[in-house]
Amino acid sequence: MAATRFLSHITIFNSKNSNLYSITILAILCTIFYLIGIWQHSLGPIPNSSSSPVSGFLSSSPCYSLHTAQLDFMPHHLPHDPTPATARVPHFPPCNISFSEYTPCEDARRSLKFDRDMLIYRQRHCPEKNELLKCRIPAPYGYKVPFRWPESREFAWFANVPHKELTVEKKAQNWVKVEGEKFRFPGGGTMFPRGAGAYIDDIDKLINLKDGSIRTAIDTGCGVASWGAYLLSRNIIAMSFAPRDTHEAQVQFALERGVPALIGVLASIRLPYPSRAFDMAHCSRCLIPWDNYDGIYLIEVDRILRPGGYWILTGPPINWENHWKGWNRTADDLKAEQSRIETVAKSLCWKKIVQKGDIAIWQKPTNHIHCKATRKVFKRPRFCQTQNPDMAWYTKLEKCLTPLPQVSEIKEIAGGQLPKWPQRLNAIPPSISSGSLTGVTGNNFVENTELWKERVAYYKNIDYQLAQTGRYRNLLDMNAYLGGFAAALVDDPVWVMNAVPVEADQLNTLGVIYERGLIGTYQNWCEAMSTYPRTYDFIHADSIFSLYKDRCDMEDILLEMDRVLRPEGSVIIRDDVDVLLKIKKIIDVMQWEGRIADHEKGPHEREKILFAVKQYWTAPPLAPKHDQ
């Protein structure tokens, strides 16, 4: 009985174990197939291909069914969304050949709408937004890369500036001659028939041009800028300007020669330079009526002339005693004009230091201690009271004398003494050391100078043409800040136009650039520059597109860059990577070749650098004229 009961317990126990084993095995198998199902679902649809080693296994039915219908959360009682619009692909075809020398803000047709008094019609008048061209300015057929400096000082290709007017009109003055396919510039001028070099030597005998105390100069009514061209060998850099007038292509010739120049005129607004910018100002028969309008044009020269700076005048009425017959004016008329000029100069407290032959030179005082005392004698011009002396973008001329910074004693130079060139380039500028430029310290200046040396070295490692001596001559820095980019290139045979955007008026640094012995101009990059097409071999743009992001269209700035850039010229643009990606899409349809490179500090910087080259292309040849 006991044995029977014992066997019965064993049977029950074995039966339970058997059921437990079966349940365990079944659970394990289900778990395996469940995991296989999840894995299969995560792979997405499996191609039914016999070539797959797992196709047969995965095509078999698992022991469960997985429902994977996608849930629909969309409303069903609204109209369908419109078809997305295709993104606009920019298209900038070549302009008509008639625009080959187009200068938007000095357009002759537009100028006819404006007053001729004080030459207002010749100053800047830019097109409205709806008048902007959306095409690329063509180079004339046969355009060639200019001669390299210093050969370019004497020669330019006729095909690049196909105008013979000056070779006829100024033939006697020896300005320019045509020799086969080339222009030759003998260096002559209306008042220096022996050449600009000999003329400068005559000036050097009257004031010292060799000791580095004179570095920046301005030439008003510059002709083809031979005076500025020949000053460069004396380490003096001149900003030359002339209006776009009947003397066709004066400034264009100057730029083709590799000489700094802008289209400009003394009219009703200030010249686009800060106060106390130039060490020397020059007028050689520049036809500016210095004695008219209560001397307002000499008052403007005084604003931009550095304390102790010189004003040089040759041509009418200087030396009228010997020239009045050739000038087709009466002796009394010329004598009276010179007397009026002398009176205006005295009212500005200038001292006439010499007149010898055809050259007369005045000097501006180093401070205004005596000048303020003489206001009892010279009631006019009064000292300006409110206007910022460095504000010079569409700023009206005023008949008031720009006061110099205060000094404590008579021998002190207002605004601070500048070192002589070349020490002047890297010495801390007086406007920074004195604290008058808010937000910039001496340490900032030194660090910025070193930063740009590193950046330019990095550029040259990537752009071998920039590293090639003589490949570029005319450079433009669109956002120059303290002029560090130009300073880093000072030993190369180049010159840099340092543009300071007027939108950066909270930190106006153009005065610092001139204190360093460099040159530049104010500019609003929503407008065209006062220069001819194909002015620059190289353009540098640091954060320009971020600065103008909400001010004007990116494509308009790029088209202006294309206008002033020579065929086969180069561009470097620094900006945020997202900005550069947008720029890259635009330049790809502008016949530029470009690539984006990492920041000099490495790939983790959001700021990147776009290197680009404008491809060579020109207008097609003109169709031959058939005889009627």
Side-chain angles (χ1 to χ4, degrees):
M1 185 77 178
T4 303
R5 192 177 292 118
F6 175 74
L7 290 173
S8 176
H9 282 297
I10 291 175
T11 302
I12 294 170
F13 177 79
N14 288 338
S15 177
K16 287 182 178 179
N17 281 348
S18 177
N19 290 338
L20 180 62
Y21 291 146
S22 298
I23 292 170
T24 301
I25 291 170
L26 181 63
I28 291 171
L29 289 174
C30 286
T31 301
I32 290 171
F33 284 115
Y34 177 81
L35 293 174
I36 290 173
I38 292 176
W39 177 69
Q40 179 183 358
H41 180 67
S42 68
L43 291 176
I46 302 299
N48 187 15
S49 171
S50 60
S51 62
S52 172
V54 293
S55 60
F57 175 74
L58 291 180
S59 62
S60 61
S61 299
C63 63
Y64 61 91
S65 175
L66 182 64
H67 183 68
T68 58
Q70 186 174 358
L71 298 179
D72 183 3
F73 294 101
M74 298 299 294
H76 295 274
H77 301 286
L78 294 175
H80 294 294
D81 290 336
T83 303
T86 303
R88 185 179 75 88
V89 177
H91 177 58
F92 307 112
C95 303
N96 187 280
I97 185 59
S98 62
F99 289 98
S100 176
E101 295 175 359
Y102 182 54
T103 54
C105 297
E106 287 83 15
D107 182 58
R109 290 168 295 180
R110 184 179 293 103
S111 70
L112 298 177
K113 303 176 184 178
F114 297 94
D115 195 346
R116 300 183 72 86
D117 184 47
M118 291 186 72
L119 300 181
I120 290 174
Y121 75 106
R122 283 187 179 171
Q123 63 192 26
R124 284 177 63 89
H125 301 291
C126 296
E128 299 294 332
K129 185 175 177 60
N130 61 351
E131 299 176 293
L132 296 176
L133 294 182
K134 297 294 183 179
C135 54
R136 294 173 289 122
I137 302 298
Y141 179 73
Y143 179 90
K144 299 180 181 180
V145 174
F147 292 94
R148 292 193 176 189
W149 184 266
E151 190 179 6
S152 65
R153 187 176 71 174
E154 276 78 38
F155 295 101
W157 294 111
F158 177 80
N160 293 7
V161 193
H163 295 286
K164 293 185 178 180
E165 292 89 342
L166 283 178
T167 65
V168 176
E169 187 173 346
K170 297 295 181 180
K171 183 177 181 180
Q173 280 80 40
N174 221 18
W175 280 24
V176 57
K177 298 180 181 296
V178 177
E179 296 180 352
E181 294 183 338
K182 298 182 291 187
F183 287 110
R184 184 169 67 86
F185 301 90
T190 307
M191 293 307 301
F192 36 95
R194 294 185 295 121
Y199 173 73
I200 292 169
D201 287 339
D202 291 339
I203 295 174
D204 190 34
K205 295 172 185 175
L206 305 176
I207 57 176
N208 194 335
L209 300 179
K210 296 187 181 76
D211 69 351
S213 59
I214 296 175
R215 165 63 181 172
T216 57
I218 186 167
D219 191 11
T220 57
C222 64
V224 295
S226 288
W227 186 71
Y230 282 82
L231 277 174
L232 288 167
S233 62
R234 292 166 167 82
N235 282 322
I236 297 173
I237 187 165
M239 175 70 78
S240 301
F241 74 86
R244 181 161 189 163
D245 60 4
T246 54
H247 296 337
E248 190 70 43
Q250 292 179 90
V251 168
Q252 192 175 17
F253 275 129
L255 293 163
E256 199 68 19
R257 298 173 72 184
V259 179
L262 284 172
I263 298 172
V265 63
L266 265 171
S268 69
I269 59 175
R270 286 179 171 180
L271 297 173
Y273 316 114
S275 64
R276 310 194 309 277
F278 299 99
D279 305 315
M280 177 170 59
H282 174 258
C283 163
S284 177
R285 196 164 186 170
C286 61
L287 306 180
I288 295 172
W290 299 112
D291 57 320
N292 288 1
Y293 309 109
D294 298 321
I296 197 169
Y297 297 139
L298 273 182
I299 290 172
E300 174 63 359
V301 171
D302 179 84
R303 182 186 71 85
I304 62 175
L305 201 58
R306 192 169 299 286
Y310 300 97
W311 183 57
I312 302 170
L313 177 63
T314 65
I318 303 303
N319 202 9
W320 58 267
E321 298 91 342
N322 294 316
H323 293 300
W324 66 273
K325 290 182 180 179
W327 289 339
N328 295 319
R329 291 174 61 183
T330 67
D332 289 342
D333 181 30
L334 289 162
K335 182 180 179 181
E337 181 183 347
Q338 179 154 350
S339 178
R340 291 192 296 271
I341 289 175
E342 302 270 13
T343 299
V344 173
K346 286 181 180 178
S347 74
L348 300 176
C349 305
W350 292 3
K351 178 183 178 181
K352 188 176 184 181
I353 59 174
V354 66
Q355 179 173 329
K356 185 175 182 180
D358 295 337
I359 302 173
I361 303 178
W362 285 261
Q363 186 174 25
K364 179 177 176 176
T366 56
N367 59 62
H368 273 162
I369 289 179
H370 282 324
C371 195
K372 289 179 179 178
T374 62
R375 289 308 89 185
K376 296 177 182 179
V377 176
F378 295 100
K379 302 295 184 183
R380 296 179 182 277
R382 60 180 175 80
F383 280 100
C384 302
Q385 299 297 317
T386 58
Q387 204 171 54
N388 181 346
D390 295 330
M391 187 180 294
W393 189 252
Y394 296 121
T395 304
K396 286 286 186 181
L397 293 178
E398 282 192 330
K399 298 176 184 178
C400 60
L401 183 58
T402 299
L404 291 173
Q406 294 285 346
V407 295
S408 56
E409 52 99 13
I410 193 64
K411 293 184 179 181
E412 186 179 348
I413 296 176
Q417 175 74 55
L418 288 174
K420 293 181 178 180
W421 182 265
Q423 291 75 24
R424 177 173 168 178
L425 179 68
N426 292 315
I428 297 175
S431 61
I432 293 178
S433 59
S434 66
S436 58
L437 187 63
T438 305
V440 182
T441 66
N443 287 337
N444 296 150
F445 175 80
V446 172
E447 290 170 1
N448 184 264
T449 299
E450 293 304 314
L451 173 66
W452 280 105
K453 288 179 182 178
E454 295 172 4
R455 287 181 169 180
V456 169
Y458 180 70
Y459 290 167
K460 289 183 175 182
N461 284 335
I462 296 179
D463 184 350
Y464 71 92
Q465 295 191 91
L466 181 61
Q468 183 183 352
T469 301
R471 173 62 181 86
Y472 302 125
R473 173 63 184 170
N474 303 357
L475 277 63
L476 170 65
D477 191 357
M478 296 176 67
N479 189 12
Y481 187 43
L482 302 177
F485 172 76
L489 291 165
V490 71
D491 293 327
D492 293 356
V494 303
W495 62 269
V496 180
M497 182 67 74
N498 293 282
V500 171
V502 293
E503 287 73 17
D505 57 0
Q506 297 299 316
L507 192 61
N508 185 346
T509 56
L510 191 54
V512 168
I513 288 168
Y514 276 95
E515 286 180 337
R516 300 187 75 171
L518 305 170
I519 59 169
T521 182
Y522 294 115
Q523 179 64 38
N524 176 352
W525 290 113
C526 290
E527 299 179 0
M529 199 174 185
S530 289
T531 193
Y532 282 86
R534 302 172 298 282
T535 289
Y536 295 103
D537 309 308
F538 183 98
I539 299 176
H540 181 253
D542 180 10
S543 305
I544 276 293
F545 293 92
S546 289
L547 177 63
Y548 283 89
K549 181 179 179 182
D550 299 318
R551 303 176 193 269
C552 50
D553 292 341
M554 177 184 289
E555 62 187 36
D556 291 329
I557 298 177
L558 286 167
L559 284 171
E560 173 61 6
M561 293 170 69
D562 185 79
R563 184 184 75 88
V564 302
L565 185 65
R566 296 187 189 279
E568 299 184 335
S570 293
V571 175
I572 293 179
I573 304 173
R574 303 178 67 95
D575 222 310
D576 184 85
V577 62
D578 290 341
V579 174
L580 293 187
L581 290 172
K582 294 177 182 177
I583 292 172
K584 182 68 168 58
K585 290 181 180 178
I586 297 175
I587 68 170
D588 284 345
V589 298
M590 288 174 56
Q591 287 185 268
W592 291 15
E593 292 180 353
R595 65 188 179 96
I596 297 174
D598 283 329
H599 191 277
E600 61 270 4
K601 290 184 179 179
H604 300 298
E605 299 287 332
R606 276 199 62 84
E607 184 179 73
K608 304 295 181 185
I609 306 170
L610 172 63
F611 292 83
V613 176
K614 179 179 176 178
Q615 297 177 36
Y616 179 88
W617 67 277
T618 71
L622 295 175
K625 294 182 179 179
H626 299 287
D627 294 334
Q628 298 293 323

